[in-house]
Amino acid sequence: MTSSDLYPVSRLASVQEATAKSGLDALLLTPGPDLRYVSGYDAKPLERLTCLVVPAAGEPFLMVPRLELAAAQASPASRLGLDFVAWDETDDPYGIAAARLGRVAKVGLADRMWAMSSLRFREVLPETEQVLAGSVLRELRMRKSPAEVAALREAGQAIDSVHRRVPEFLRAGRTEREVGRDIAEAILAAGHETVDFVIVASGPNAASPHHDVSDRVIQAGEPVVVDIGGQLHNGYCSDSTRTYSVGAPPAEFAEYYEVLRRAQDAACAAVRPGVPCESIDAAARDLIAAAGYGDYFIHRTGHGIGVETHEEPYIVSGNAEPMEPGFAFSVEPGIYLPERHGARIEDIVVCTETGGERLNVTSRELVIV
């Protein structure tokens, strides 16, 4: 798997075609996941403008500060046949981009574009309507190619190797922060380029789904939710949650953990082409509600993943979009009892031609350390 597999030259033409079909005149993609997805260039987000301009008709070009030109040329973007427009410190790059683009009625801005850049583009294109580029790119980004699935599988294997090491770090008397520091080092050692998040949520903190780490000392008999992920060198992300117990857990917790495990299995088993995204959510949620814990499952069942940890499709009630082969997303139901404890189980799943493939394979049973 090479950068040309993950970021093929043909993608730029597909983006142009989708831009034209959407009725937009151009996309303006500044540093972030949209730019990386289209070009393979992981540009630094700076106050100096870097922007890939993709017109619906005409030749795309990349605005880049002269001091970043060598980095841009060394990236996969160099294979796209782009015109690299290097600008100097005394230039107005927004004005240069607007002049090259010409008169346009409607443009799509990168979803993560800084407000500073958005407002400057509004100044130089005052008659132009601005919308989100995601309205065009979502359809492409949701459908992962075989190379993208392979990259996500590699990410899944890497983060699984970290979860296998968590029992080395987790024990009574250590703080969440100490355990989190060890996990972060293990994420990098497993081949990740960055550590995107480390959640170590013990005891009552486990009832907060997006708890980070704290100086709380982990106690014997406590459940601990460990949700971790990062980005590989190729730009694709990992994300997996397992729940541990430091010694024997409370009986109440063991009871609802088994409910959660069955709910997560049911949601994964429901994945297949044509099934609405919301039905995957319902498969987990209905089982949890039937067991009396419906009020304690307080978030959607999942989110898409790729060059971002959270992207479309979202696995949530109200999303009737049918599953398609290549959709990649998390399945992560949780049960959270306020001020007591909580649990979550998360795998990344890819919709295949016949069902779903889990990319995380470590045990989903409660791990007692």
Side-chain angles (χ1 to χ4, degrees), residues 168-184:
E168 297 176 29
F169 313 133
L170 194 59
R171 61 180 180 270
R174 300 196 77 196
T175 67
E176 294 174 348
R177 195 177 309 280
E178 288 170 337
V179 174
R181 188 179 302 118
D182 288 340
I183 290 174

Side-chain angles (χ1 to χ4, degrees), residues 6-130:
L6 281 174
Y7 303 101
V9 172
S10 60
R11 184 171 289 164
L12 184 58
S14 298
V15 170
Q16 278 197 283
E17 182 181 356
T19 301
K21 285 182 178 179
S22 73
L24 298 185
D25 295 305
L27 299 185
L28 306 177
L29 306 181
T30 47
D34 288 333
L35 174 61
R36 184 162 193 172
Y37 174 79
V38 175
S39 70
Y41 180 30
D42 186 21
K44 294 179 181 178
L46 303 171
E47 74 282 5
R48 298 177 175 94
L49 178 69
T50 293
C51 183
L52 175 61
V53 180
V54 185
E59 295 301 317
F61 58 94
L62 181 66
M63 298 290 307
V64 58
R66 190 168 299 280
L67 79 166
E68 297 293 327
L69 179 60
Q73 291 173 330
S75 79
S78 63
R79 297 183 289 102
L80 303 181
L82 294 169
D83 185 9
F84 285 73
V85 182
W87 59 273
D88 295 306
E89 295 285 13
T90 55
D91 292 334
D92 174 12
Y94 297 92
I96 294 171
R100 288 182 64 106
L101 189 56
R103 188 177 181 86
V104 287
K106 191 175 183 180
V107 297
L109 306 184
D111 286 13
R112 299 294 181 87
M113 182 181 287
W114 288 355
M116 177 182 74
S117 296
S118 172
L119 293 174
R120 287 288 289 117
F121 274 121
R122 182 163 292 169
E123 288 177 9
V124 298
L125 297 168
E127 304 301 320
T128 302
E129 181 183 356
Q130 296 180 346

Side-chain angles (χ1 to χ4, degrees), residues 242 264 268 329-331 345-349 358 360 364:
R242 293 293 184 260
Q264 205 262 354
C268 290
F329 49 91
S330 67
V331 175
I345 305 170
E346 176 186 18
D347 292 320
I348 301 303
V349 178
R358 280 171 157 148
N360 299 106
R364 294 160 200 94

Side-chain angles (χ1 to χ4, degrees), residues 13 27 40 63 96-97 116 128 192 225 239 258 289 300 310 325 341:
L27 299 185
M63 298 290 307
I96 294 171
M116 177 182 74
T128 302
H192 291 78
V225 174
D239 185 5
E258 180 58 23
R300 65 195 173 206
H310 285 204
H341 33 62

Side-chain angles (χ1 to χ4, degrees), residues 176 201-209 211 216 219 221-223 250 252-253 256 295-296 298 335-343:
E176 294 174 348
S202 64
N205 288 341
S208 175
H211 176 74
R216 184 181 186 277
Q219 305 295 317
E222 288 186 335
E252 174 189 36
F253 174 85
Y256 74 72
D295 290 343
Y296 305 109
I298 56 177
I335 296 174
Y336 311 96
L337 274 57
E339 300 181 6
R340 284 180 280 177
H341 33 62

